[in-house]
C-alpha cells in the first residue's frame, strides 16, 4: 500500500562500476515505479529509469559493437509490465508460477534509443521436501 491506496511505489538511485571482459562501465542513475493489483493473480507496473553511463578501457581486440559505445551516453526509458503470479509463497514458493511481460521504450530524451521486450516465466514444482524450479527468459 502507498498513501493508503492499494498501489505499490518503488524508487532508487545507484552508482556502479563494472569490469567486463572487453571494457569497463561506470554508471549512475535513478528509477521510480508504480504498480497496481488488477485481481488476485494479475498486476500491472510502470517504471521510469534515467541512466548516465561511461564505457572506457576498451581492449584493442574488442568487437566493433563495443568500440562504437565508447564514451558517455544517457538513457531515459519507460517500462510498462504485466505480471501473473500464482506462487503459494512469495519468499519460499513450492508450487505455482510467476510470468511477466514487459516492454522498455528508450529515447525519451538522452542519447540512446531502443525498444526491448522481455518475457520471463518461472514454474515451481514440489518434489518431496525439495522444490524444483524451471525458468525461461
Amino acid at each position: 500500500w502507498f498513501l493508503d491506496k492499494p498501489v505499490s511505489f518503488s524508487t532508487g538511485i545507484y552508482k556502479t562500476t563494472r569490469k567486463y571482459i572487453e571494457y569497463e562501465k561506470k554508471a549512475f542513475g535513478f528509477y521510480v515505479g508504480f504498480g497496481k493489483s488488477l485481481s488476485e493473480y494479475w498486476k500491472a507496473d510502470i517504471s521510469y529509469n534515467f541512466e548516465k553511463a561511461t564505457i572506457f578501457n576498451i581492449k584493442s581486440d574488442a568487437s566493433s559493437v563495443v568500440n562504437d559505445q565508447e564514451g558517455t551516453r544517457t538513457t531515459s526509458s519507460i517500462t510498462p509490465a504485466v505480471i501473473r503470479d500464482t506462487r503459494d509463497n512469495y519468499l519460499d514458493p513450492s508450487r505455482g508460477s510467476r510470468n511477466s511481460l514487459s516492454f522498455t521504450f528508450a529515447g525519451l530524451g538522452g542519447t540512446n534509443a531502443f525498444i526491448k521486450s522481455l518475457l520471463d516465466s518461472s514454474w515451481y514444482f514440489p518434489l518431496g521436501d525439495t522444490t524444483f524450479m524451471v525458468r525461461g527468459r
Side-chain angles (χ1 to χ4, degrees):
W1 288 68
F2 177 66
L3 298 176
D4 288 328
K5 305 229 185 283
V7 295
S8 63
F9 172 73
S10 62
T11 188
I13 57 174
Y14 58 91
K15 181 178 180 183
T16 62
T17 301
R18 292 191 177 168
K19 292 183 180 183
Y20 296 94
I21 293 171
E22 296 183 320
Y23 63 93
E24 293 182 48
K25 176 183 175 182
K26 288 184 180 180
F28 68 91
F30 70 92
Y31 63 89
V32 60
F34 292 93
K36 173 114 173 84
S37 179
L38 303 174
S39 68
E40 182 180 4
Y41 299 121
W42 290 90
K43 80 176 219 174
D45 289 340
I46 190 161
S47 62
Y48 172 79
N49 188 72
F50 179 85
E51 178 179 89
K52 185 174 184 178
T54 302
I55 305 294
F56 63 102
N57 284 346
I58 298 175
K59 290 191 176 179
S60 59
D61 60 345
S63 72
S64 61
V65 173
V66 173
N67 281 311
D68 291 345
Q69 297 300 312
E70 186 173 20
T72 301
R73 298 175 186 253
T74 57
T75 304
S76 175
S77 64
I78 190 164
T79 305
V82 63
I83 300 104
R84 185 173 192 272
D85 191 345
T86 64
R87 296 174 295 176
D88 60 348
N89 186 298
Y90 175 76
L91 296 175
D92 189 21
S94 62
R95 65 180 69 240
S97 66
R98 184 182 190 281
N99 304 285
S100 65
L101 176 64
S102 65
F103 293 92
T104 299
F105 302 96
L108 312 168
T111 53
N112 292 323
F114 59 87
I115 297 175
K116 173 184 166 184
S117 61
L118 178 63
L119 176 62
D120 191 350
S121 183
S122 303
W123 294 79
Y124 300 83
F125 306 96
L127 295 171
D129 292 337
T130 303
T131 300
F132 181 71
M133 188 265 272
V134 177
R135 182 179 186 191
R137 293 181 93 183

